Amino acid sequence: MKAFYSDHFVLPLPKGHRFPMEKYALLRQSVQSLADLELLEAPSATDAQLLLAHDTKYVEKIISGQLNAAEQKEIGFPWSPLMVERSKRSAGATVAACNAALMDGVSVNLAGGTHHAHRDKGSGFCVFNDVAIAAKNLQAIKGNHFRVAIIDFDVHQGNGTATIMQHNDSIFTLSIHGENNFPFNKEQSDLDIGLKNQCADSEYLNAVAYALDELEKRFSADFVIYLAGADPHTDDRLGKLSLSKKGLLLRDQAVFDFAKINGIPIAVVMAGGYGKKIEQSVEIHHQTIALAIKYSHN
């Protein structure tokens, strides 16, 4: 199974910044000994690919460094050429993972899931919306009839993805998230399930089962992009939910089973993970990747 990494394109952050940049290098180190995993450097998303999901003026502002202080604050990152390179590589990794999954059935981006980026602005540690770019790129390759389901199980609603895809009937956006968490003004996905604080395994997994059943009833998908956030975990700093590591494994298994039963290729991105101990998030992402490898054998 192919997995694409971009952790060596480091986005420089001020000391004490709460974004866990080191998570991505730790994850690659964690999974590199897994059998049947091929690690590949992420390509950079092209400007043409970025423009599939983003406004021309916004892309130009990012690339040329014309973001004002307020725009940088909303993204949560200071602008730098390295920030641009990292963001393009992370988006390119999801594009590459989707292309690989078309051939192999399953592939992984060891980063990605930057679902708070809207068409004309970034937000919440998200510069470019990699899943929206990749979904639109699949349609550029396969035709507009190609139907993509975006299954977003990050603890935060995929608000940027929802707005970008709002009038696109061929891309289905599904988000299960903490109702009382960022973003505090939710957008409308095709299916949203907001959960109360401290929601634990049983209630969460019931929501997953319901959501996947509704997806199957309402949409005939040719492809799945899955945001496998580690941040619903009980020890996540930003999550507010109470899932166990086993609960997150069962969540992932439900998504892989959905894809397998329906014969749908699946690309997986890591999305959020802000563990009180960064190793906890790495372990959760690791188990997602190990499960994807197991699924790739079936």
Side-chain angles (χ1 to χ4, degrees):
M1 185 189 77
K2 294 181 175 64
F4 297 86
Y5 64 89
S6 54
D7 58 90
H8 57 310
F9 297 98
V10 175
L11 192 165
L13 297 172
K15 189 174 182 179
H17 196 285
R18 66 178 180 165
F19 187 79
M21 200 73 219
E22 70 275 20
K23 177 180 78 169
Y24 303 102
L26 291 171
L27 179 59
R28 177 156 62 107
Q29 293 165 18
S30 171
V31 302
Q32 63 187 1
S33 60
L34 289 172
D36 300 320
L37 183 70
E38 181 183 2
L39 288 167
L40 298 165
E41 180 180 286
S44 179
T46 66
D47 290 357
Q49 288 168 338
L50 299 176
L51 292 170
L52 292 170
H54 291 290
D55 178 76
T56 302
K57 289 182 179 178
Y58 175 64
V59 172
E60 289 174 350
K61 285 171 81 171
I62 290 291
I63 292 172
S64 63
Q66 298 301 310
L67 293 174
N68 62 38
E71 290 167 328
Q72 292 181 63
K73 183 178 180 181
E74 183 167 1
I75 291 173
F77 296 144
W79 186 91
S80 68
L82 290 172
M83 180 267 262
V84 179
E85 182 67 15
R86 164 72 184 185
S87 301
K88 292 177 75 172
R89 294 277 178 172
S90 187
T94 300
V95 170
C98 287
N99 292 342
L102 281 177
M103 302 294 294
D104 303 334
V106 59
S107 184
V108 170
N109 176 5
L110 298 186
T114 46
H115 58 171
H116 299 312
H118 296 257
R119 181 173 295 278
D120 59 353
K121 69 174 184 175
S123 180
F125 305 144
C126 301
V127 179
F128 298 126
N129 192 311
D130 64 306
V131 292
I133 292 163
K136 294 291 289 181
N137 189 69
L138 283 170
Q139 292 188 329
I141 294 168
K142 303 289 286 185
N144 289 333
H145 63 280
F146 193 74
R147 295 164 66 82
V148 182
I150 298 172
I151 299 176
D152 189 340
F153 290 168
D154 185 281
V155 81
H156 305 103
Q157 193 214 27
N159 59 331
T161 311
T163 61
I164 292 171
M165 300 304 181
Q166 207 155 38
H167 303 295
N168 190 331
D169 293 338
S170 61
I171 296 177
F172 192 97
T173 53
L174 187 171
S175 181
I176 297 181
H177 50 264
E179 186 63 27
N180 302 311
N181 209 328
F182 180 89
F184 298 105
N185 294 317
K186 304 293 191 287
E187 301 293 346
Q188 186 174 348
S189 310
D190 291 303
L191 177 59
D192 285 300
I193 300 176
L195 302 170
K196 67 181 185 297
N197 289 4
Q198 310 310 319
C199 172
D201 290 358
S202 179
E203 183 181 353
Y204 189 97
L205 292 169
N206 286 338
V208 167
Y210 169 78
L212 294 176
D213 186 53
E214 282 294 302
L215 173 60
E216 190 168 13
K217 288 177 183 176
R218 292 165 52 180
F219 190 78
S220 179
D222 298 308
F223 196 95
V224 166
I225 303 176
Y226 173 40
L227 288 77
D231 44 11
H233 188 255
T234 188
D235 286 328
D236 194 89
R237 289 182 291 117
L238 305 181
K240 300 184 181 180
L241 301 188
S242 296
L243 269 73
S244 69
K245 188 177 173 185
K246 176 68 178 298
L248 289 164
L249 180 67
L250 292 172
R251 173 202 69 174
D252 292 346
Q253 185 68 64
V255 177
F256 285 123
D257 285 346
F258 171 85
K260 180 182 177 183
I261 289 166
N262 290 286
I264 306 169
I266 181 169
V268 188
V269 302
M270 296 300 99
Y274 309 91
K276 293 173 184 174
K277 295 182 178 178
I278 194 65
E279 293 80 10
Q280 293 172 323
S281 297
V282 172
E283 288 172 8
I284 293 164
H285 289 317
H286 179 111
Q287 79 174 4
T288 298
I289 293 161
L291 190 63
I293 294 171
K294 185 177 179 182
Y295 167 80
S296 73
H297 293 159
N298 296 329

